[in-house]
């Protein structure tokens, strides 16, 4: 399948090192080897011994150390392991497709912790707290000659006439308040088995 026809999905890379153990990363670390999906399966099995159920029920005891299984790559993220790309479906890891570095796209996101106002055309626009993809970065020169970094992001706005639309706005940097994180998106060529599992075939 052509890469341009594939849908990009946000992924997490899974590593297992002697000093840290199993951990996930939003971007690929070239110097490290991926962990095996078997490491993740073993981690889930080991968690089971910490969970205590009320006898004859599916409810957890109040003092159970875990309220639920904590799986890597949950919340809709795919995970990249030594054996390929996996999804966590129905309490187990399902093979989704092969991993290829050629199918990667790296995205930078600006984290805005609190609501802010910016000027858009002649209006003042409210930007909600959240993570926004950085489309462009530039600089503005202030009256005193100091240069200030500017980020261009896209936000959704709601009004009576157009109901919902996306606009591009420029946000001045707030050093020490804003943070920038990088994420990898992967174009996945799904296996037929996985598509059947989702009921798409």
């Amino acid at each position: 399948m052509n890469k341009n026809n594939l849908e990009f999905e946000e992924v997490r890379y899974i590593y297992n090192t002697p000093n840290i153990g199993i951990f996930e990363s939003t971007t690929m670390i070239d110097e490290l080897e991926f962990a095996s999906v078997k490491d993740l399966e073993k981690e889930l099995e080991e968690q089971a011994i910490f969970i205590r159920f009320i006898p004859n029920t599916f409810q957890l005891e109040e003092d159970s150390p875990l309220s639920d299984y904590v799986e890597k790559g949950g919340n809709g993220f795919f995970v990249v392991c030594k054996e390929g790309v996996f999804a966590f479906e129905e309490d187990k890891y399902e093979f989704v497709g092969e991993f290829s570095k050629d199918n990667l796209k790296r995205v930078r996101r600006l984290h805005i912790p609190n609501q802010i106002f910016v000027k858009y055309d002649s209006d003042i626009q409210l930007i909600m707290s959240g993570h926004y993809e950085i489309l462009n970065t530039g600089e503005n020169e202030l009256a005193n000659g100091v240069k200030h970094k500017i980020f261009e992001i896209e936000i959704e706005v709601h009004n009576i006439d157009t109901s919902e639309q996306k606009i591009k706005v420029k946000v001045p940097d707030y050093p020490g308040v804003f943070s920038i994180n990088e994420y990898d998106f992967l174009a996945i060529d799904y296996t037929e088995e996985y598509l059947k599992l989702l009921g798409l075939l």
Side-chain angles (χ1 to χ4, degrees):
M1 190 180 286
N2 188 314
K3 175 182 171 181
N4 295 326
N5 296 330
L6 300 176
E7 185 175 341
F8 280 89
E9 300 280 0
E10 189 173 341
V11 295
R12 297 290 184 265
Y13 301 98
I14 306 299
Y15 299 98
N16 193 357
T17 64
N19 296 333
I20 301 174
I22 298 175
F23 70 96
E24 57 187 82
S25 173
T26 59
T27 57
M28 196 168 108
I29 306 170
D30 289 323
E31 301 79 19
L32 295 179
E33 183 181 341
F34 294 134
S36 170
V37 70
K38 290 179 172 52
D39 296 332
L40 296 184
E41 291 167 347
K42 183 180 177 187
E43 184 182 59
L44 284 179
E45 288 174 11
E46 290 173 348
Q47 287 184 50
I49 64 174
F50 291 107
I51 297 179
R52 293 194 291 272
F53 288 98
I54 299 172
N56 304 317
T57 74
F58 290 104
Q59 296 179 345
L60 294 170
E61 292 182 7
E62 286 186 18
D63 62 345
S64 180
L66 288 175
S67 61
D68 202 350
Y69 287 99
V70 179
E71 74 282 353
K72 297 287 190 298
N75 302 317
F77 295 124
F78 293 104
V79 293
V80 178
C81 297
K82 192 183 297 183
E83 297 85 353
V85 184
F86 291 82
F88 192 74
E89 303 283 350
E90 298 177 1
D91 297 329
K92 65 179 181 177
Y93 288 97
E94 295 285 350
F95 181 70
V96 169
E98 301 292 337
F99 171 72
S100 172
K101 289 171 83 171
D102 295 333
N103 287 1
L104 285 180
K105 175 177 74 172
R106 186 155 293 178
V107 170
R108 295 168 69 230
R109 284 186 183 156
L110 181 68
H111 174 53
I112 300 177
N114 302 304
Q115 297 176 358
I116 60 169
F117 289 95
V118 296
K119 191 170 183 180
Y120 175 72
D121 289 337
S122 57
D123 297 326
I124 298 296
Q125 183 62 54
L126 171 66
I127 299 179
M128 304 299 289
S129 61
H131 291 83
Y132 297 88
E133 182 177 343
I134 299 173
L135 304 175
N136 289 298
T137 305
E139 283 186 335
N140 240 357
E141 189 165 332
L142 306 179
N144 59 3
V146 173
K147 292 183 178 179
H148 195 79
K149 191 177 287 184
I150 300 290
F151 301 108
E152 184 180 48
I153 61 174
E154 189 173 66
I155 63 170
E156 291 183 354
V157 294
H158 304 268
N159 58 50
I160 298 171
D161 299 329
T162 60
S163 68
E164 182 180 306
Q165 66 178 19
K166 292 185 177 181
I167 60 171
K168 294 177 182 176
V169 296
K170 292 183 178 175
V171 179
D173 189 17
Y174 288 83
V177 178
F178 287 176
S179 61
I180 298 172
N181 298 300
E182 292 187 322
Y183 299 83
D184 280 353
F185 282 71
L186 178 67
I188 302 174
D189 189 1
Y190 299 106
T191 64
E192 285 188 15
E193 291 79 7
Y194 183 67
L195 292 175
K196 285 176 183 174
L197 179 69
L198 297 180
L200 300 176
L201 274 184

